[in-house]
Amino acid sequence: GAVVSQHPSRVICKSGTSVKIECRSLDFQATTMFWYRQFPKQSLMLMATSNEGSKATYEQGVEKDKFLINHASLTLSTLTVTSAHPEDSSFYICSARALTSGKWAQYFGPGTRLLVL
Amino acid sequence: LAKTTQPISMDSYEGQEVNITCSHNNIATNDYITWYQQFPSQGPRFIIQGYKTKVTNEVASLFIPADRKSSTLSLPRVSLSDTAVYYCLVGDWNSGNTPLVFGKGTRLSVIA
């Protein structure tokens, strides 16, 4: 299947700093990528839909000025957590849709563990 | 997107067959049913997808009755490494920009 990578796999930062997370589709092009957040023992929560060459679409309750998304190419989307605070500590997962055997399938990255001190 | 309902958790012994059922009463005509597996601190992994009847691959089978209002993921002869959370998702993914919305999933614990 298609491969999605994320970098970094984990990051620790001080409160008030900004953190950038990269999501790449390695062997396919993705005009659309998705960003999720997952807290311990909970399910994945969709944060936003990232569209190549246009603005991201954010889910209700997700601050677009805090979670900046840039989808500058067909293989790269970035999520920047600005002025991070301890409550932003979470597991961030990106995914991308690929056409496989004539059907769309969604592939997920390995996730990025963010810890804000 | 159709809402799904799954058991919160299940336990099984090694070597047994495990069946996880998902209810999706409001499934639409164009919706597909997809199951994902997630291990701790990893992204979800695609297991199987189907539209109707039965689908089988190297890791699982998916049974979908004629009314498509439910589906059952069958894992044959589970091992300890199958301990994970399993998510059932339903949606029309004929287009490339409809996101998957996750429910709570089923936490499967396999014990020796």
Side-chain angles (χ1 to χ4, degrees):
Chain A
V3 178
V4 176
S5 71
Q6 284 183 240
H7 178 81
S9 58
R10 57 178 61 201
V11 56
I12 302 173
C13 68
K14 293 182 179 180
S15 184
T17 61
S18 294
V19 175
K20 179 185 285 189
I21 302 170
E22 293 185 348
C23 176
R24 294 182 184 274
S25 56
L26 296 187
D27 49 1
F28 65 102
Q29 294 182 332
T31 55
T32 304
M33 292 184 176
F34 308 99
W35 286 96
Y36 294 82
R37 179 168 56 180
Q38 186 176 34
F39 292 107
K41 302 294 185 182
Q42 294 187 25
S43 184
L44 285 78
M45 185 190 78
L46 178 66
M47 299 177 66
T49 299
S50 170
N51 304 300
E52 189 268 336
S54 64
K55 292 182 179 180
T57 304
Y58 290 83
E59 295 300 302
Q60 191 173 10
V62 178
E63 300 176 57
K64 62 180 182 180
D65 295 330
K66 182 169 184 62
F67 298 100
L68 300 179
I69 291 173
N70 184 278
H71 195 151
S73 77
L74 289 172
T75 59
L76 173 64
S77 174
T78 60
L79 169 68
T80 301
V81 183
T82 62
S83 186
H85 291 284
E87 58 266 29
D88 298 322
S89 298
S90 188
F91 192 52
Y92 292 86
I93 308 170
C94 72
S95 72
R97 195 71 59 80
L99 198 58
T100 305
S101 301
K103 290 185 294 187
W104 287 103
Q106 192 159 332
Y107 297 92
F108 289 81
T112 296
R113 176 76 59 193
L114 170 62
L115 176 61
V116 185
L117 302 177
Chain B
L1 297 174
K3 182 179 177 180
T4 59
T5 304
Q6 306 173 231
I8 296 295
S9 65
M10 294 180 69
D11 295 329
S12 175
Y13 288 102
E14 273 192 297
Q16 289 187 329
E17 177 185 79
V18 171
N19 296 308
I20 305 174
T21 298
C22 178
S23 296
H24 28 80
N25 292 317
N26 297 322
I27 190 169
T29 302
N30 293 333
D31 287 344
Y32 280 78
I33 301 155
T34 311
W35 285 79
Y36 283 83
Q37 175 193 56
Q38 187 183 27
F39 297 113
S41 296
Q42 294 187 27
R45 184 177 74 102
F46 174 90
I47 301 176
I48 198 166
Q49 183 181 74
Y51 183 81
K52 61 180 179 181
T53 62
K54 176 184 175 182
V55 180
T56 297
N57 62 22
E58 62 276 10
V59 297
S61 294
L62 178 60
F63 298 92
I64 306 169
D67 66 4
R68 304 201 324 123
K69 294 183 182 298
S70 66
S71 59
T72 300
L73 174 71
S74 181
L75 305 173
R77 297 180 299 282
V78 294
S79 63
L80 296 175
S81 61
D82 293 317
T83 294
V85 179
Y86 293 82
Y87 294 98
C88 161
L89 296 103
V90 173
D92 178 6
W93 299 314
N94 288 324
S95 68
N97 56 6
T98 304
L100 289 176
V101 176
F102 283 76
K104 297 184 184 303
T106 298
R107 188 173 299 275
L108 173 65
S109 298
V110 181
I111 51 182

